[in-house]
Structure formats: C-alpha cells, structure tokens
Amino acid sequence: MSRVAERDRRHVWHPYTQHALAAAPVPIARAEGAYLYRDDGAPIFDAISSWWVTLHGHAHPAIAAAIARQAATLEQVIFAGFTHEPGAELAAALVGVLPHGLERVFFSDDGSTAVEVALKLALQYWHNRGERRPLIAALEHAYHGDTFGAMAASDRGVFTEPFAGQLFQVERLPDPGFDREQMLRALDRLLDERGRDLAAVIVEPLLLGAGGMRVYATEILSAIRERTQAAGVLLIVDEVLTGFGRTGPVFACEHARVEPDIVCLSKGLTGGFLPLGATAVREEIFAAFFGADRRRTFFHGHSYTANPIACAAALASLRLLDEASTRARHEIQCAHEQELAKLGSHRAVRNSRVLGTMAAFDIEGDGAGYLNPVGIELASFALERGVLLRPLGNVVYLLPPYCSTRDDLARAYDVVRQFLERTPA
Ligand SMILES: *Cc1c(COP(=O)(O)O)cnc(C)c1O
C-alpha cells in the first residue's frame, strides 16, 4: 500500500462514502485537461467534472497563473471594512453576465453557503420591511446542499433522514418534470392560500441535479417566475450546478428568459479550482437592508468571504467563457445526442435526456433511488477502464469539462455500453 493510501485509510473521512463498503480511494497525482492521472501515470477521463466543478479543464494554465499571481500579491484580507480588486472586479463581472436586474453580490464559500445566504436574505428582507413571512417553498426532488438551511430546502430522503426533526418546514411543490399542470396548480393554490406568508420560492432551473438529473420544461420556469412576480413572492434560482455554461447558455435561466430576484452560484464559478460561493440579488433587496438602523444589517459572513485568490481564479475562468467555449459546449451537446441515440436502443436504457453539456439516462431494474447498487457497479466497472462516472443510484449521467473531445466522450459511452451488455456475474 502506498504512503498516501495508508495514511488516508488510517486518518481520512471521505464525503458521501460508506467506508465499510467502498473500495479504497484512488490516489490522484496530477490532472490536465479532461484527465486525472493516477500515481503510476494511468489516465482517467473525468466524465463528471470532479463532482460538477471543473469547467474548462483541469490545471488550465490561465487560471493557474492567475492564482499564483494573486497568491503572491494579496492572499487574504478581512472583507468587512476592506475590499480588493479581484473581489470588486468579480462582482462587477458577474453582474455583467447574470440575468438583468441582479446588481449586488454577496460572497461566501460554496454552494451550500450561497443557498444559506439566499434563504437568510429572503427571510430578513421581509423582516426588515415589517412583514411576517416565515415560509419557504421548494420542489420535490430538489437538492440545495448539505448545511441545515440547504438541507431543509432540499427534498427529504436518505441524505436528510437523521436530521428530520431539526429541519424547518418547507412547502413542497411537485416535481415539474412529472406533471406540469399539477405542479402549477399546486403553486397557484399555495400562492392563493398562503402567498402572504411566503418569503420565497427556491428552484434549481430546468435541471434537478443531485435529485436524479431530472429535466423540466423552460415554460414551467417562466410560469414560476410570472406567478411569483404577480404574487410579490421572491424567486431564488439555485444555479450552483447549472451556472457557467453547463446547460448551454451561461445561466440556465436564459433558456426561459427568466430574471430571478436572487441567484446562487458556486461549483464552476472558479472554473473548478477553488471553493467560492456567490449570491446575487436585485438592488431593492439590498435597499431593504440599507438604513441608519443597525438592526437592518445582514449579520452574516464567513472568515474567507471573497478570498482574493478564489476571486482571481473566478475572473480568469469567466474570461475563458468565450465564443470558443460556446462552440465547445455545443459540440459536447451534439456528441451526447448522437451517443444517447445509439445507446437508447438498449433495453435497459430509459428516459434519455440532454440539456447542454449534461446527458443522463436511467438504468431499468431493481427500482429507482440513490441506494440502487447498479450505480456503484457501473462506477467501478468504468474506473477499471479509465473513466470516472458516479451515477446517482440507477441514474447515469455525463457532465464533462468543456475541453472534452468527441473521442473522449465516445470512449466513455463505449464503456457504458460494455457495462450494459456484460453478462451479469
Ligand atoms: C452541489 C449543489 C449545491 C451545494 O454546493 P456545495 O458546494 O456542494 O455545498 C447546491 N445547489 C445545487 C443545485 C447543487 O448542485
């Protein structure tokens, strides 16, 4: 056993890992482009962008250089009472690419904290305006993160079960991917009966990610916007997964021309190099916190709020989100569509779907759900063949970095095909 493996086995606790059942973690020595390299040099195609973060490719030299420069200039400074160029420039750059009307950016550490900030801002917005609005509404199959507020907004299931008693209650709206009429009726009823108690509706736009890569129609997102706007209820859009081009346009909201009140960002924000979260809001939300009364303050902050190195990485990453990147993302979408069309004829493949650079399908049999073991079998089968996949139970998805080539993708799909055609042990 290597030194890394041995020390890891003795002292490290890994995320979302049942240590009694999981294979030993794979030591990775370096990475470049769409590939990770084991310590013996063997390559692994990163078909899931290392948990949905890597955007342009691993170790991209432009981002690496920006990080090195910033680290040698200003690595960190308290962000209350102080500011800096990468933080101010990044806020302005995000406002420049975000849907119209989002003009104020609050930085935090990751996707979960970006969601916590959004929920707290929405609740305190009404509090500061002297209205009692304690309710949050969220979607069935939603995933918004693993901290308490984010867990509360997420759908209840195996991830949240031990904490059920500590999670605040949320008005749950049906998954719009199943029955859009039912979902919109439920929303109408909620706004009608409890609209005055509702602080905000939070949704992942078009793609319910960790809940099973479930896609829903752009018209539903537009309808949610229209209805919340008419009812005077805030709309929080969680673009933590979908942001920065994953679904095609820079933000998934653009598919539906939706202008939310609050947007949550993280994951691809720094190109996948460093943790950073951002919550962008409309100016009138900021205005509700502005005034001589200090109790109107948003009393929230993290030690590393707007860390300059992370902000510099994000600025460098945004610069790479150019026309060439748009073409590359379109190429990936075309490759997904062709490969899924071929794969779709297999009897075990159900519900193929593509949304920009994301492709997914369900494997039939043994029931749905995160604990379906077929995903773990496929993951280890693929890893042995040099492809990183991490299905969500029986839901197989590919979400590759934008530098992935057609050949990279063809090989990954080939591994999936071999798995489906294997004779079960
Ligand atoms: C991953 C994810 C989060 C949580 O982000 P972390 O950085 O893992 O805390 C929140 N919302 C969505 C939609 C996500 O996919």
Side-chain angles (χ1 to χ4, degrees):
M1 191 182 286
S2 74
R3 184 185 165 97
V4 172
E6 190 242 306
R7 301 229 147 178
D8 181 283
R9 194 176 61 116
R10 179 67 194 87
H11 295 296
V12 179
W13 192 335
H14 286 267
Y16 280 91
T17 299
Q18 176 43 265
H19 281 254
L21 300 174
V26 180
I28 296 298
R30 62 181 198 91
E32 190 182 337
Y35 285 83
L36 308 167
Y37 295 90
R38 295 175 185 251
D39 43 15
D40 65 1
I44 299 170
F45 172 54
D46 186 356
I48 62 160
S49 297
S50 281
W51 249 354
W52 320 348
V53 299
T54 309
L55 218 58
H56 315 287
H58 287 278
H60 194 290
I63 302 177
I67 288 173
R69 260 197 317 274
Q70 190 60 46
T73 310
L74 172 68
E75 88 299 349
Q76 167 68 4
V77 62
I78 176 173
F79 207 58
F82 294 84
T83 190
H84 45 72
E85 183 180 324
E89 289 294 334
L90 177 57
L94 288 173
V95 167
V97 290
L98 277 163
H100 176 79
L102 298 158
E103 298 195 346
R104 201 53 80 158
V105 180
F106 191 98
F107 290 108
S108 62
D109 296 346
D110 51 55
S112 299
T113 56
V115 169
E116 296 289 336
V117 167
L119 296 171
K120 287 179 70 174
L121 283 177
L123 292 166
Q124 193 179 338
Y125 168 77
W126 294 109
H127 176 88
N128 285 3
R129 288 171 48 123
E131 278 192 51
R132 217 191 91 77
R133 291 201 183 217
L135 283 187
I136 300 287
L139 297 177
E140 184 190 1
H141 297 135
Y143 177 79
H144 296 292
D146 290 346
T147 53
F148 269 89
M151 266 199 295
S154 301
D155 204 355
R156 303 302 147 86
V158 289
F159 300 173
T160 59
E161 197 185 305
F163 317 104
Q166 278 74 32
L167 299 178
F168 63 77
Q169 232 197 324
V170 162
E171 295 297 315
R172 195 63 60 188
L173 296 164
D175 181 340
F178 282 143
D179 182 341
R180 66 167 80 179
E181 293 312 318
Q182 190 201 0
M183 188 272 159
L184 292 178
R185 269 201 309 277
L187 178 59
D188 284 338
R189 199 175 330 117
L190 177 65
L191 292 172
D192 208 39
E193 291 169 6
R194 315 225 37 203
R196 310 287 316 195
D197 299 329
L198 201 56
V201 175
I202 180 169
V203 300
E204 294 159 272
L206 307 188
L207 177 64
L208 308 180
M213 294 296 170
R214 298 160 193 269
V215 175
Y216 64 90
T218 55
E219 297 78 45
I220 303 184
L221 185 58
S222 328
I224 294 173
R225 170 70 293 190
E226 280 159 25
R227 283 156 158 90
T228 47
Q229 191 154 31
V233 169
L234 297 177
L235 176 63
I236 303 172
V237 168
D238 179 353
E239 291 250 16
V240 168
L241 162 61
T242 50
F244 306 102
R246 288 289 179 201
T247 72
V250 178
F251 297 104
C253 279
E254 294 171 35
H255 286 286
R257 294 203 180 75
V258 155
E259 296 175 355
D261 300 299
I262 304 181
V263 165
C264 308
L265 305 172
S266 188
K267 291 208 166 113
L269 172 57
T270 61
F273 274 64
L274 287 167
L276 181 67
T279 307
V281 305
R282 290 182 177 282
E283 197 64 15
E284 60 253 41
I285 295 178
F286 179 73
F289 291 73
F290 190 89
D293 183 353
R294 293 184 62 189
R295 279 171 304 191
R296 293 168 80 96
T297 307
F298 188 46
F299 291 108
H300 185 108
H302 299 278
S303 312
Y304 286 98
T305 299
N307 171 258
I309 307 175
C311 290
L315 278 167
S317 175
L318 273 180
R319 264 180 239 120
L320 294 170
L321 219 50
D322 55 10
E323 272 173 39
S325 168
T326 306
R327 279 195 300 275
R329 301 198 302 272
H330 181 69
E331 276 293 302
I332 290 173
Q333 174 171 346
C334 294
H336 279 327
E337 281 162 358
Q338 287 167 8
E339 295 289 344
L340 272 184
K342 281 192 265 171
L343 205 62
S345 59
H346 195 280
R347 62 188 157 70
V349 172
R350 292 279 184 281
N351 304 326
S352 296
R353 52 222 185 247
V354 175
L355 185 65
T357 68
M358 190 287 310
F361 65 90
D362 306 343
I363 296 182
E364 163 125 303
D366 287 354
Y370 188 82
L371 297 181
N372 184 320
V374 72
I376 292 175
E377 290 163 27
L378 170 54
S380 85
F381 183 93
L383 191 59
E384 281 168 23
R385 288 155 183 82
V387 176
L388 170 53
L389 292 173
R390 194 183 158 91
L392 297 154
N394 67 321
V395 177
V396 181
Y397 67 89
L398 282 83
L399 188 87
Y402 304 159
C403 61
S404 306
T405 65
R406 255 174 200 261
D407 282 352
D408 294 333
L409 290 168
R411 241 175 297 126
Y413 278 100
D414 205 45
V415 166
V416 172
R417 196 171 300 114
Q418 288 171 39
F419 177 79
L420 294 172
E421 284 164 6
R422 80 203 185 288
T423 28

